Amino acid sequence: MKVLGADIGFGYTKATDGKQYQVFKSIVGEANEAQFGESLLPGVPQFPRHIAIGNQSYFVGELAEQQSRGRGFTLDQNQFLAQYAKPLALTALAPFVASGDPVRLVTGLPISFFRRYKDPLTTLLQQRHTVTVVKPGTGEREEKVINVEKVRVIPQPFGSMFNLMLNDIGKPASQRFITEKIGIIDIGFRTADYTISDKTRYSERGSQSSDSGIAVAYTAIANVLQEKSGVNVELYRLYEGVSRGTIKIKGKRYDLTGLVQQAFQQLATRIAQEVNRLWSDDWDLDAIVITGGGGAALSAYLAPLLEGEVLPMPADQDARLNNVHGYWKYGLHLWGA
Ligand SMILES: Nc1ncnc2c1ncn2[C@@H]1O[C@H](COP(=O)(O)OP(=O)(O)OP(=O)(O)O)[C@@H](O)[C@H]1O
Ligand SMILES: [Mg+2]
C-alpha cells in the first residue's frame, strides 16, 4: 500500500509520493491523437501529460495549453468536478503508481466547497481506474490500473498545517500545532482560502474562500502593460517577468519592479482586511501561517498588516507544494506507510 497526496488547485495541480513531485497547470483539453505535436514541444516533460480514461483522451497542463483545440479551465466547482478533477488527478497520480497496487490518497477542497463536495469527490476518486498514459517523447502507450482504495478529503489549507505539524513519517514533530489555535491563509492563483485549526479541529466560523488570488495583482500589472505596449499579456505568462522584475514585449524591455510592488501591496491590503474582519472574534489565535504559491509572493507585504504572530513557512521549498506535502504526511499519519 502506498500513500499519495494530490492538490488540485485552480492554478496548478500538484502531486507527490513523498519522494518525487510533479506540478502542472490545471488545464484539460482534447487530445489530438493524429498530431505529432508532443515531440515538437521544447523540452520533453518528465511525466506524461496525455492520458486516456475510457474512450476519452486528454491533454493536460502545458500540453493542453499549447496543443489542444478545445480546452478548458473553470472556476465553477460543479463543472470542475464533473469534467476536470478526474483527468487532472489521475494524470497527477499515474507516475507514482504501480499498476494494480492499492494506493491511499489524501486530497483537498477549497473552503467554500468543502462540505458540499467532499463526498462526491471521494466517490469520484475512490475506484479502480483503468487509464492509458502516453509517454512524453516516445509516444509509447502504457495501460495502468490506478487502484485507489481509500480517499480522505480535507480543507485545502490544512495541508500546509499538517506539513508544519508532522514529520516525514507522519508523526507529530511540533507540539504547538496540536495544542494551539492557528489561522492559515492560503493564497493561490485564483483564490485565497482562510481557515482556523483549533487544536487541529476545523473551525467553520473562521473559514472562508475569497477571490483574492494572485491573479488580481497580475490583472492590474497586465492592464498597465497593455496601456504601455498595446499587448494584452495573458496572466499565466506573467510569472517569469514578475519574479524577474522586467519583461520584454515586442523587443522592448519594461521595468516591472514598481508596478509589482504597488499591485502586491494593494492585494495584500485587501487580503488583510478580509482576514482581520473574518477573524475579529478569534483574537485568541496563537499564530498565523501564510502559505500557497501566492502566499510566498505576498508574505512580505501581508505579514505586517496582520493582527497576530506570523510563522514562516519553510523557505527552501516551492510554496505551491506546501499543501500537497502536508496531505502526504497526513496520509502517513492516518494509514502508516
Ligand atoms: N515556479 C513557479 N511557477 C509559477 N508560479 C509560481 C512559481 N512559484 C511560485 N509561484 C506562485 O504561485 C502561484 C500559484 O500558487 P498555487 O499553486 O498555490 O495556486 P493554486 O493552488 O493552483 O490556486 P488556487 O488556490 O486558487 O486554487 C502563482 O500565481 C505564482 O504567484
Ligand atoms: Mg491552492
Side-chain angles (χ1 to χ4, degrees):
M1 188 266 295
K2 196 168 182 182
V3 172
L4 301 177
D7 179 9
I8 309 167
F10 285 116
Y12 297 86
T13 296
K14 288 80 66 168
T16 186
D17 64 351
K19 293 187 208 79
Q20 295 190 87
Y21 291 89
Q22 67 161 334
V23 187
F24 53 82
K25 287 185 184 163
S26 297
I27 302 173
V28 179
E30 295 166 17
N32 304 316
E33 297 285 355
Q35 259 205 14
F36 41 85
E38 274 149 287
S39 57
L40 285 178
L41 279 182
V44 177
Q46 189 187 358
F47 297 114
R49 297 284 180 262
H50 180 176
I51 193 170
I53 307 167
N55 54 8
Q56 287 267 42
S57 191
Y58 305 95
F59 284 168
V60 307
E62 291 72 9
L63 186 62
E65 181 181 319
Q66 294 163 11
Q67 299 286 349
S68 293
R69 239 175 276 284
R71 62 173 187 275
F73 178 85
T74 180
L75 287 184
D76 179 80
Q77 192 70 19
N78 255 320
Q79 198 189 359
F80 186 77
L81 265 191
Q83 291 181 15
Y84 301 129
K86 204 181 229 182
L88 290 174
L90 296 182
T91 309
L93 298 178
F96 308 130
V97 169
S99 190
D101 278 4
V103 298
R104 296 187 175 192
L105 172 68
V106 178
T107 188
L109 276 169
I111 297 298
S112 49
F113 305 122
F114 180 66
R115 282 203 187 278
R116 198 155 146 220
Y117 290 101
K118 79 177 171 26
D119 293 336
L121 182 61
T122 303
T123 310
L124 186 83
L125 296 176
Q126 196 170 286
Q127 291 181 35
R128 278 177 71 94
H129 308 269
T130 304
V131 304
T132 303
V133 291
V134 183
K135 300 222 172 111
T138 62
E140 189 190 329
R141 302 172 82 90
E142 184 193 1
E143 188 163 293
K144 230 178 200 186
V145 174
I146 302 179
N147 179 11
V148 183
E149 62 166 21
K150 239 182 178 65
V151 173
R152 177 68 66 100
V153 183
I154 63 175
Q156 280 175 357
F158 268 66
S160 292
M161 215 264 303
F162 288 125
N163 190 29
L164 291 167
M165 184 176 102
L166 302 171
N167 63 17
D168 279 344
I169 50 168
K171 297 274 185 294
S174 165
Q175 204 57 31
R176 74 176 298 182
F177 295 100
I178 300 170
T179 55
E180 293 188 349
K181 185 169 173 181
I182 311 283
I184 309 154
I185 300 175
D186 177 2
I187 306 167
F189 185 61
R190 302 267 158 171
T191 57
D193 273 15
Y194 315 127
T195 193
I196 289 176
S197 156
D198 191 355
K199 303 185 182 68
T200 76
R201 253 192 334 232
Y202 173 66
S203 150
E204 185 86 48
R205 183 187 72 193
S207 300
Q208 183 186 298
S209 293
S210 98
D211 307 324
S212 303
I214 219 72
V216 172
Y218 279 18
T219 304
I221 296 165
N223 287 344
V224 176
L225 278 176
Q226 171 149 38
E227 272 170 39
K228 289 190 178 167
S229 71
V231 173
N232 183 8
V233 181
E234 299 94 327
L235 299 189
Y236 61 82
R237 292 172 71 175
L238 267 176
Y239 171 71
E240 248 212 329
V242 165
S243 30
R244 221 193 289 131
T246 154
I247 192 168
K248 200 168 172 183
I249 302 173
K250 294 191 172 173
K252 194 165 166 211
R253 196 162 275 292
Y254 297 85
D255 178 30
L256 293 181
T257 41
L259 257 181
V260 170
Q261 264 174 24
Q262 204 190 344
F264 280 14
Q265 186 66 53
Q266 248 170 36
L267 179 58
T269 305
R270 168 169 154 177
I271 290 172
Q273 275 166 0
E274 290 174 353
V275 166
N276 290 335
R277 195 181 317 126
L278 177 67
W279 293 344
S280 61
D281 288 337
D282 298 291
W283 43 261
D284 55 344
L285 276 182
D286 291 293
I288 296 172
V289 170
I290 301 171
T291 186
L298 279 190
S299 68
Y301 300 87
L302 181 57
L305 304 175
L306 296 173
E307 295 161 351
E309 180 198 354
V310 177
L311 298 180
M313 283 306 284
D316 53 344
Q317 183 172 273
D318 181 338
R320 292 177 299 169
L321 300 175
N322 290 341
N323 284 344
V324 80
H325 197 184
Y327 293 167
W328 171 75
K329 287 183 180 178
Y330 185 56
L332 292 185
H333 178 79
L334 288 174
W335 303 309

